PDB file of all heavy atoms in Angstrom:
ATOM      1  N   ASN A  39     -12.388  12.271  -7.852  1.00 95.00           N
ATOM      2  CA  ASN A  39     -12.153  12.756  -6.488  1.00 95.00           C
ATOM      3  C   ASN A  39     -12.094  11.656  -5.436  1.00 95.00           C
ATOM      4  O   ASN A  39     -12.152  11.952  -4.242  1.00 95.00           O
ATOM      5  CB  ASN A  39     -13.255  13.759  -6.119  1.00 95.00           C
ATOM      6  CG  ASN A  39     -13.205  14.980  -6.995  1.00 95.00           C
ATOM      7  OD1 ASN A  39     -12.185  15.636  -7.100  1.00 95.00           O
ATOM      8  ND2 ASN A  39     -14.309  15.279  -7.654  1.00 95.00           N
ATOM      9  N   HIS A  40     -11.961  10.389  -5.846  1.00 93.00           N
ATOM     10  CA  HIS A  40     -12.042   9.292  -4.877  1.00 93.00           C
ATOM     11  C   HIS A  40     -11.000   9.400  -3.759  1.00 93.00           C
ATOM     12  O   HIS A  40     -11.308   9.110  -2.610  1.00 93.00           O
ATOM     13  CB  HIS A  40     -11.961   7.930  -5.571  1.00 93.00           C
ATOM     14  CG  HIS A  40     -10.609   7.590  -6.098  1.00 93.00           C
ATOM     15  ND1 HIS A  40     -10.189   7.983  -7.350  1.00 93.00           N
ATOM     16  CD2 HIS A  40      -9.583   6.915  -5.539  1.00 93.00           C
ATOM     17  CE1 HIS A  40      -8.961   7.552  -7.537  1.00 93.00           C
ATOM     18  NE2 HIS A  40      -8.570   6.901  -6.457  1.00 93.00           N
ATOM     19  N   ALA A  41      -9.804   9.834  -4.055  1.00 91.00           N
ATOM     20  CA  ALA A  41      -8.776   9.925  -3.013  1.00 91.00           C
ATOM     21  C   ALA A  41      -9.149  10.985  -1.979  1.00 91.00           C
ATOM     22  O   ALA A  41      -8.992  10.764  -0.775  1.00 91.00           O
ATOM     23  CB  ALA A  41      -7.414  10.228  -3.626  1.00 91.00           C
ATOM     24  N   GLY A  42      -9.656  12.116  -2.435  1.00 93.00           N
ATOM     25  CA  GLY A  42     -10.093  13.155  -1.509  1.00 93.00           C
ATOM     26  C   GLY A  42     -11.284  12.712  -0.685  1.00 93.00           C
ATOM     27  O   GLY A  42     -11.363  13.006   0.516  1.00 93.00           O
ATOM     28  N   ILE A  43     -12.204  11.997  -1.312  1.00 93.00           N
ATOM     29  CA  ILE A  43     -13.368  11.479  -0.594  1.00 93.00           C
ATOM     30  C   ILE A  43     -12.906  10.503   0.482  1.00 93.00           C
ATOM     31  O   ILE A  43     -13.373  10.537   1.620  1.00 93.00           O
ATOM     32  CB  ILE A  43     -14.351  10.807  -1.576  1.00 93.00           C
ATOM     33  CG1 ILE A  43     -14.945  11.853  -2.524  1.00 93.00           C
ATOM     34  CG2 ILE A  43     -15.452  10.065  -0.822  1.00 93.00           C
ATOM     35  CD1 ILE A  43     -15.688  11.265  -3.725  1.00 93.00           C
ATOM     36  N   ALA A  44     -11.967   9.640   0.121  1.00 89.00           N
ATOM     37  CA  ALA A  44     -11.451   8.656   1.077  1.00 89.00           C
ATOM     38  C   ALA A  44     -10.751   9.320   2.256  1.00 89.00           C
ATOM     39  O   ALA A  44     -10.725   8.773   3.350  1.00 89.00           O
ATOM     40  CB  ALA A  44     -10.491   7.699   0.376  1.00 89.00           C
ATOM     41  N   GLY A  45     -10.215  10.513   2.035  1.00 89.00           N
ATOM     42  CA  GLY A  45      -9.480  11.204   3.087  1.00 89.00           C
ATOM     43  C   GLY A  45     -10.338  12.005   4.045  1.00 89.00           C
ATOM     44  O   GLY A  45      -9.825  12.561   5.015  1.00 89.00           O
ATOM     45  N   VAL A  46     -11.639  12.061   3.807  1.00 92.00           N
ATOM     46  CA  VAL A  46     -12.528  12.812   4.693  1.00 92.00           C
ATOM     47  C   VAL A  46     -12.637  12.086   6.033  1.00 92.00           C
ATOM     48  O   VAL A  46     -12.848  10.867   6.080  1.00 92.00           O
ATOM     49  CB  VAL A  46     -13.924  12.976   4.056  1.00 92.00           C
ATOM     50  CG1 VAL A  46     -14.917  13.579   5.043  1.00 92.00           C
ATOM     51  CG2 VAL A  46     -13.841  13.830   2.797  1.00 92.00           C
ATOM     52  N   GLU A  47     -12.484  12.839   7.099  1.00 93.00           N
ATOM     53  CA  GLU A  47     -12.584  12.243   8.427  1.00 93.00           C
ATOM     54  C   GLU A  47     -13.941  11.553   8.595  1.00 93.00           C
ATOM     55  O   GLU A  47     -14.982  12.112   8.250  1.00 93.00           O
ATOM     56  CB  GLU A  47     -12.421  13.315   9.503  1.00 93.00           C
ATOM     57  CG  GLU A  47     -12.373  12.757  10.903  1.00 93.00           C
ATOM     58  CD  GLU A  47     -12.083  13.817  11.948  1.00 93.00           C
ATOM     59  OE1 GLU A  47     -11.537  14.872  11.606  1.00 93.00           O
ATOM     60  OE2 GLU A  47     -12.416  13.561  13.111  1.00 93.00           O
ATOM     61  N   GLY A  48     -13.903  10.327   9.088  1.00 92.00           N
ATOM     62  CA  GLY A  48     -15.121   9.560   9.307  1.00 92.00           C
ATOM     63  C   GLY A  48     -15.468   8.616   8.172  1.00 92.00           C
ATOM     64  O   GLY A  48     -16.275   7.716   8.347  1.00 92.00           O
ATOM     65  N   VAL A  49     -14.858   8.804   7.004  1.00 89.00           N
ATOM     66  CA  VAL A  49     -15.088   7.878   5.894  1.00 89.00           C
ATOM     67  C   VAL A  49     -14.189   6.666   6.115  1.00 89.00           C
ATOM     68  O   VAL A  49     -12.977   6.783   6.174  1.00 89.00           O
ATOM     69  CB  VAL A  49     -14.794   8.538   4.519  1.00 89.00           C
ATOM     70  CG1 VAL A  49     -14.860   7.511   3.408  1.00 89.00           C
ATOM     71  CG2 VAL A  49     -15.759   9.672   4.259  1.00 89.00           C
ATOM     72  N   ASP A  50     -14.829   5.505   6.246  1.00 84.00           N
ATOM     73  CA  ASP A  50     -14.049   4.306   6.528  1.00 84.00           C
ATOM     74  C   ASP A  50     -14.088   3.282   5.407  1.00 84.00           C
ATOM     75  O   ASP A  50     -13.464   2.228   5.499  1.00 84.00           O
ATOM     76  CB  ASP A  50     -14.501   3.663   7.837  1.00 84.00           C
ATOM     77  CG  ASP A  50     -15.989   3.347   7.851  1.00 84.00           C
ATOM     78  OD1 ASP A  50     -16.669   3.590   6.846  1.00 84.00           O
ATOM     79  OD2 ASP A  50     -16.471   2.845   8.873  1.00 84.00           O
ATOM     80  N   ALA A  51     -14.810   3.580   4.320  1.00 84.00           N
ATOM     81  CA  ALA A  51     -14.858   2.667   3.172  1.00 84.00           C
ATOM     82  C   ALA A  51     -15.417   3.400   1.964  1.00 84.00           C
ATOM     83  O   ALA A  51     -16.146   4.379   2.096  1.00 84.00           O
ATOM     84  CB  ALA A  51     -15.712   1.442   3.477  1.00 84.00           C
ATOM     85  N   LEU A  52     -15.042   2.918   0.783  1.00 87.00           N
ATOM     86  CA  LEU A  52     -15.638   3.376  -0.466  1.00 87.00           C
ATOM     87  C   LEU A  52     -16.392   2.203  -1.074  1.00 87.00           C
ATOM     88  O   LEU A  52     -15.906   1.081  -1.057  1.00 87.00           O
ATOM     89  CB  LEU A  52     -14.566   3.844  -1.458  1.00 87.00           C
ATOM     90  CG  LEU A  52     -13.722   5.038  -1.063  1.00 87.00           C
ATOM     91  CD1 LEU A  52     -12.699   5.329  -2.163  1.00 87.00           C
ATOM     92  CD2 LEU A  52     -14.577   6.257  -0.801  1.00 87.00           C
ATOM     93  N   ARG A  78     -10.153  -0.260 -11.188  1.00 88.00           N
ATOM     94  CA  ARG A  78      -8.743  -0.497 -10.823  1.00 88.00           C
ATOM     95  C   ARG A  78      -8.112   0.778 -10.252  1.00 88.00           C
ATOM     96  O   ARG A  78      -7.337   0.711  -9.286  1.00 88.00           O
ATOM     97  CB  ARG A  78      -7.945  -0.985 -12.021  1.00 88.00           C
ATOM     98  CG  ARG A  78      -8.117  -2.459 -12.309  1.00 88.00           C
ATOM     99  CD  ARG A  78      -7.098  -2.965 -13.325  1.00 88.00           C
ATOM    100  NE  ARG A  78      -7.305  -2.386 -14.641  1.00 88.00           N
ATOM    101  CZ  ARG A  78      -8.153  -2.860 -15.552  1.00 88.00           C
ATOM    102  NH1 ARG A  78      -8.883  -3.921 -15.282  1.00 88.00           N
ATOM    103  NH2 ARG A  78      -8.278  -2.288 -16.723  1.00 88.00           N
ATOM    104  N   GLU A  79      -8.429   1.914 -10.841  1.00 89.00           N
ATOM    105  CA  GLU A  79      -7.886   3.184 -10.350  1.00 89.00           C
ATOM    106  C   GLU A  79      -8.309   3.408  -8.897  1.00 89.00           C
ATOM    107  O   GLU A  79      -7.482   3.772  -8.048  1.00 89.00           O
ATOM    108  CB  GLU A  79      -8.378   4.338 -11.225  1.00 89.00           C
ATOM    109  CG  GLU A  79      -7.915   5.696 -10.751  1.00 89.00           C
ATOM    110  CD  GLU A  79      -8.475   6.831 -11.585  1.00 89.00           C
ATOM    111  OE1 GLU A  79      -8.956   6.605 -12.707  1.00 89.00           O
ATOM    112  OE2 GLU A  79      -8.419   7.971 -11.086  1.00 89.00           O
ATOM    113  N   ILE A  80      -9.579   3.192  -8.611  1.00 88.00           N
ATOM    114  CA  ILE A  80     -10.086   3.400  -7.249  1.00 88.00           C
ATOM    115  C   ILE A  80      -9.502   2.360  -6.303  1.00 88.00           C
ATOM    116  O   ILE A  80      -9.097   2.679  -5.181  1.00 88.00           O
ATOM    117  CB  ILE A  80     -11.625   3.365  -7.238  1.00 88.00           C
ATOM    118  CG1 ILE A  80     -12.171   4.535  -8.077  1.00 88.00           C
ATOM    119  CG2 ILE A  80     -12.158   3.434  -5.808  1.00 88.00           C
ATOM    120  CD1 ILE A  80     -13.638   4.405  -8.428  1.00 88.00           C
ATOM    121  N   LEU A  81      -9.429   1.107  -6.740  1.00 85.00           N
ATOM    122  CA  LEU A  81      -8.877   0.048  -5.895  1.00 85.00           C
ATOM    123  C   LEU A  81      -7.405   0.273  -5.589  1.00 85.00           C
ATOM    124  O   LEU A  81      -6.892  -0.264  -4.614  1.00 85.00           O
ATOM    125  CB  LEU A  81      -9.067  -1.320  -6.558  1.00 85.00           C
ATOM    126  CG  LEU A  81     -10.500  -1.835  -6.603  1.00 85.00           C
ATOM    127  CD1 LEU A  81     -10.578  -3.094  -7.454  1.00 85.00           C
ATOM    128  CD2 LEU A  81     -11.036  -2.082  -5.211  1.00 85.00           C
ATOM    129  N   GLY A  82      -6.734   1.074  -6.410  1.00 83.00           N
ATOM    130  CA  GLY A  82      -5.331   1.388  -6.163  1.00 83.00           C
ATOM    131  C   GLY A  82      -5.127   2.264  -4.940  1.00 83.00           C
ATOM    132  O   GLY A  82      -4.022   2.374  -4.428  1.00 83.00           O
ATOM    133  N   HIS A  83      -6.194   2.884  -4.460  1.00 71.00           N
ATOM    134  CA  HIS A  83      -6.129   3.714  -3.252  1.00 71.00           C
ATOM    135  C   HIS A  83      -6.234   2.784  -2.052  1.00 71.00           C
ATOM    136  O   HIS A  83      -7.288   2.239  -1.774  1.00 71.00           O
ATOM    137  CB  HIS A  83      -7.282   4.731  -3.248  1.00 71.00           C
ATOM    138  CG  HIS A  83      -7.183   5.700  -2.123  1.00 71.00           C
ATOM    139  ND1 HIS A  83      -6.549   6.896  -2.262  1.00 71.00           N
ATOM    140  CD2 HIS A  83      -7.605   5.626  -0.850  1.00 71.00           C
ATOM    141  CE1 HIS A  83      -6.607   7.539  -1.100  1.00 71.00           C
ATOM    142  NE2 HIS A  83      -7.244   6.783  -0.235  1.00 71.00           N
ATOM    143  N   ARG A  84      -5.147   2.576  -1.341  1.00 66.00           N
ATOM    144  CA  ARG A  84      -5.085   1.536  -0.311  1.00 66.00           C
ATOM    145  C   ARG A  84      -5.269   2.032   1.116  1.00 66.00           C
ATOM    146  O   ARG A  84      -5.099   1.265   2.057  1.00 66.00           O
ATOM    147  CB  ARG A  84      -3.737   0.809  -0.401  1.00 66.00           C
ATOM    148  CG  ARG A  84      -3.543   0.101  -1.687  1.00 66.00           C
ATOM    149  CD  ARG A  84      -4.454  -1.083  -1.744  1.00 66.00           C
ATOM    150  NE  ARG A  84      -4.235  -1.800  -3.006  1.00 66.00           N
ATOM    151  CZ  ARG A  84      -5.017  -2.734  -3.459  1.00 66.00           C
ATOM    152  NH1 ARG A  84      -6.103  -3.063  -2.792  1.00 66.00           N
ATOM    153  NH2 ARG A  84      -4.760  -3.328  -4.579  1.00 66.00           N
ATOM    154  N   ASN A  85      -5.609   3.281   1.333  1.00 67.00           N
ATOM    155  CA  ASN A  85      -5.691   3.783   2.704  1.00 67.00           C
ATOM    156  C   ASN A  85      -6.959   3.380   3.436  1.00 67.00           C
ATOM    157  O   ASN A  85      -7.009   3.443   4.650  1.00 67.00           O
ATOM    158  CB  ASN A  85      -5.544   5.303   2.735  1.00 67.00           C
ATOM    159  CG  ASN A  85      -4.150   5.730   2.356  1.00 67.00           C
ATOM    160  OD1 ASN A  85      -3.214   4.939   2.435  1.00 67.00           O
ATOM    161  ND2 ASN A  85      -4.001   6.955   1.931  1.00 67.00           N
ATOM    162  N   ILE A  86      -8.011   3.016   2.710  1.00 64.00           N
ATOM    163  CA  ILE A  86      -9.244   2.582   3.362  1.00 64.00           C
ATOM    164  C   ILE A  86      -9.828   1.403   2.588  1.00 64.00           C
ATOM    165  O   ILE A  86      -9.515   1.208   1.422  1.00 64.00           O
ATOM    166  CB  ILE A  86     -10.286   3.723   3.467  1.00 64.00           C
ATOM    167  CG1 ILE A  86     -10.749   4.171   2.093  1.00 64.00           C
ATOM    168  CG2 ILE A  86      -9.778   4.881   4.276  1.00 64.00           C
ATOM    169  CD1 ILE A  86     -11.930   5.119   2.151  1.00 64.00           C
ATOM    170  N   PRO A  87     -10.701   0.623   3.230  1.00 66.00           N
ATOM    171  CA  PRO A  87     -11.307  -0.510   2.536  1.00 66.00           C
ATOM    172  C   PRO A  87     -12.167  -0.059   1.360  1.00 66.00           C
ATOM    173  O   PRO A  87     -12.800   0.984   1.405  1.00 66.00           O
ATOM    174  CB  PRO A  87     -12.172  -1.166   3.615  1.00 66.00           C
ATOM    175  CG  PRO A  87     -11.636  -0.669   4.905  1.00 66.00           C
ATOM    176  CD  PRO A  87     -11.090   0.702   4.634  1.00 66.00           C
ATOM    177  N   VAL A  88     -12.175  -0.867   0.316  1.00 63.00           N
ATOM    178  CA  VAL A  88     -12.986  -0.595  -0.878  1.00 63.00           C
ATOM    179  C   VAL A  88     -13.766  -1.858  -1.197  1.00 63.00           C
ATOM    180  O   VAL A  88     -13.238  -2.960  -1.135  1.00 63.00           O
ATOM    181  CB  VAL A  88     -12.093  -0.223  -2.075  1.00 63.00           C
ATOM    182  CG1 VAL A  88     -12.929   0.044  -3.317  1.00 63.00           C
ATOM    183  CG2 VAL A  88     -11.232   0.983  -1.759  1.00 63.00           C
ATOM    184  N   GLN A  89     -15.055  -1.697  -1.547  1.00 61.00           N
ATOM    185  CA  GLN A  89     -15.893  -2.829  -1.927  1.00 61.00           C
ATOM    186  C   GLN A  89     -16.436  -2.577  -3.314  1.00 61.00           C
ATOM    187  O   GLN A  89     -16.923  -1.502  -3.614  1.00 61.00           O
ATOM    188  CB  GLN A  89     -17.059  -2.976  -0.933  1.00 61.00           C
ATOM    189  CG  GLN A  89     -18.004  -4.105  -1.263  1.00 61.00           C
ATOM    190  CD  GLN A  89     -17.364  -5.472  -1.119  1.00 61.00           C
ATOM    191  OE1 GLN A  89     -16.607  -5.688  -0.190  1.00 61.00           O
ATOM    192  NE2 GLN A  89     -17.642  -6.350  -2.025  1.00 61.00           N
TER     193      GLN A  89
END
Side-chain angles (χ1 to χ4, degrees):
N39 296 305
H40 72 273
I43 294 167
V46 172
E47 186 175 339
V49 172
D50 56 2
L52 297 179
R78 280 192 293 275
E79 177 183 343
I80 296 165
L81 289 172
H83 186 92
R84 297 289 181 192
N85 292 340
I86 65 170
V88 179
Q89 179 67 40

